Amino acid sequence: MNTAAPSPDAVETGFLDQAEASCRSRGASLTPIRRLVLALLLRHPRGLKAYDLLERIKADKPGASPPTVYRALDFLIEQGLAHKVGRMNLFVACSQHCHQAQMPGLFLVCPRCNGVTELQDDAVMGALAASLAAAGHQLESPEVEIGAVCPACRAAP
Amino acid sequence: MNTAAPSPDAVETGFLDQAEASCRSRGASLTPIRRLVLALLLRHPRGLKAYDLLERIKADKPGASPPTVYRALDFLIEQGLAHKVGRMNLFVACSQHCHQAQMPGLFLVCPRCNGVTELQDDAVMGALAASLAAAGHQLESPEVEIGAVCPACRAAP
DNA sequence: GCAGCAGTGCAATGTTATAACATTGCGATT
DNA sequence: AATCGCAATGTTATAACATTGCACTGCTGC
């Protein structure tokens, strides 16, 4: 239809294909179910709950059950393609390159709208890592989740 | 028994009394149930799950039910006396002075042993706050929870 | 063929949290 | 004293989130 710019669908498909390749390179496979879950997460940047996801999956796969979703999510999280927002039992796609970059990233979770923003700030992360190291601790994962009210919700209280 | 140093019980009671006073000064009251929950949390620095707490409360209050616990926890959290570890659905007493200091504090949560360490690092927190502000966000709460392997667990894998 | 394994379907269950409504206890007002 | 108002608590049920265990399928290498 449109050759001037890639359509959103094309962007999504591109991302999925890339994710698939990246999985394969690690000996894992992005099966249809997993790909579907990832696609759903990509389409909902605010994140989705496991059971919302389940409802949506059922449209394609009527037999889907909780384990279907959780298994797919575990896989995606293992592969660095998705994250769980602990606070809210919310899952989001890691649409950014945080898993490509070596530097850990910040996840800003808005408690009002559930929006998740990924923020890259090497100065902060460097300071944080240094401080943890000084205390003998070691960052668990490259994603640090922080509760912070987003600009939109700050403006409209 | 021992007049040379305060016993652990005395320390705990002192802390509870202090908490009670602090609540009263804000027009809230640390009722027996709430005090009991706080005491249990203090005795378990690794944190407790809501239903573990419930079991223990039942020893004193056989009629206790889930809402009993959750209401007490909500209250304690509101008052800055306890904190929920989102990741693990774990509740810990805020034994430190993080609620007295103006500066937000870091909560280091070890994913292996569930231990929670409170860390005060103004440089990191300052940098973090500045970075968030630059992105238009605002820290939600003065407690920032971070998954980090603790020294003990790092030493003994 | 068929042993082994990753992925999936399915049922049951476990765990965490809240809704909804009734009741109690206590200080203030009349 | 009777009543009201209000915070806290009791009680029941259920919603929401997550896992376990086992059976089955389809593939890959022998």
Side-chain angles (χ1 to χ4, degrees):
Chain A
M1 277 187 191
N2 181 347
T3 53
S7 70
D9 272 12
V11 169
E12 181 181 305
T13 303
F15 185 90
L16 290 172
D17 288 342
Q18 194 179 322
E20 189 157 354
S22 140
C23 285
R24 202 182 335 262
S25 78
R26 271 166 291 183
S29 74
L30 191 68
T31 62
I33 291 183
R34 293 166 179 172
R35 188 175 171 121
L36 174 56
V37 170
L38 181 53
L40 286 168
L41 291 180
L42 285 172
R43 263 175 238 151
H44 296 267
R46 301 281 221 230
L48 283 171
K49 304 244 193 184
Y51 278 60
D52 291 343
L53 224 27
L54 179 54
E55 283 315 299
R56 290 170 206 271
I57 290 173
K58 278 183 173 166
D60 273 40
K61 300 240 165 192
S65 61
T68 312
V69 177
Y70 284 106
R71 287 196 281 233
L73 287 171
D74 286 348
F75 175 86
L76 294 175
I77 290 169
E78 249 172 35
Q79 297 296 316
L81 294 168
H83 300 295
K84 172 173 182 171
V85 180
R87 263 194 75 66
M88 311 239 113
N89 302 316
L90 211 59
F91 299 85
V92 296
C94 182
S95 53
Q96 315 290 22
H97 9 271
C98 69
H99 54 290
Q100 298 168 343
Q102 290 308 323
M103 203 47 140
L106 252 26
F107 275 66
L108 275 29
V109 184
C110 177
R112 305 222 190 125
C113 71
N114 290 353
V116 177
T117 313
E118 295 183 29
L119 183 64
Q120 202 70 36
D121 186 323
D122 294 358
V124 171
M125 291 310 294
L128 178 58
S131 180
L132 290 194
H137 287 68
Q138 181 173 35
L139 259 191
E140 173 200 15
S141 90
E143 299 110 34
V144 176
E145 184 187 318
I146 298 195
V149 182
C150 73
C153 289
R154 276 224 296 169
Chain B
M1 273 190 189
N2 182 347
T3 53
S7 70
D9 271 11
V11 169
E12 182 182 302
T13 303
F15 184 89
L16 290 172
D17 288 343
Q18 193 178 324
E20 190 157 353
S22 140
C23 284
R24 201 180 337 262
S25 78
R26 270 166 293 184
S29 74
L30 191 67
T31 62
I33 291 183
R34 293 165 178 173
R35 187 175 172 119
L36 174 55
V37 170
L38 181 54
L40 287 168
L41 291 180
L42 284 173
R43 261 175 238 152
H44 296 268
R46 300 282 221 229
L48 283 170
K49 304 248 195 182
Y51 279 62
D52 292 343
L53 224 26
L54 178 54
E55 283 315 299
R56 290 171 206 272
I57 290 173
K58 277 183 175 166
D60 272 38
K61 299 241 164 193
S65 61
T68 311
V69 178
Y70 283 105
R71 288 197 279 235
L73 288 170
D74 286 348
F75 175 86
L76 294 175
I77 290 168
E78 249 172 33
Q79 297 296 317
L81 295 167
H83 180 65
K84 171 172 181 175
V85 180
R87 265 194 78 65
M88 310 239 122
N89 303 315
L90 212 57
F91 298 85
V92 296
C94 183
S95 53
Q96 315 290 22
H97 9 271
C98 69
H99 54 290
Q100 298 169 344
Q102 290 309 324
M103 203 47 141
L106 251 26
F107 275 67
L108 274 29
V109 183
C110 176
R112 304 221 190 126
C113 71
N114 291 352
V116 177
T117 312
E118 295 182 31
L119 182 65
Q120 201 69 35
D121 186 323
D122 294 358
V124 170
M125 291 310 293
L128 178 57
S131 181
L132 290 194
H137 287 68
Q138 181 173 35
L139 258 191
E140 172 199 14
S141 91
E143 297 111 33
V144 175
E145 183 187 320
I146 299 198
V149 182
C150 73
C153 289
R154 278 225 295 170

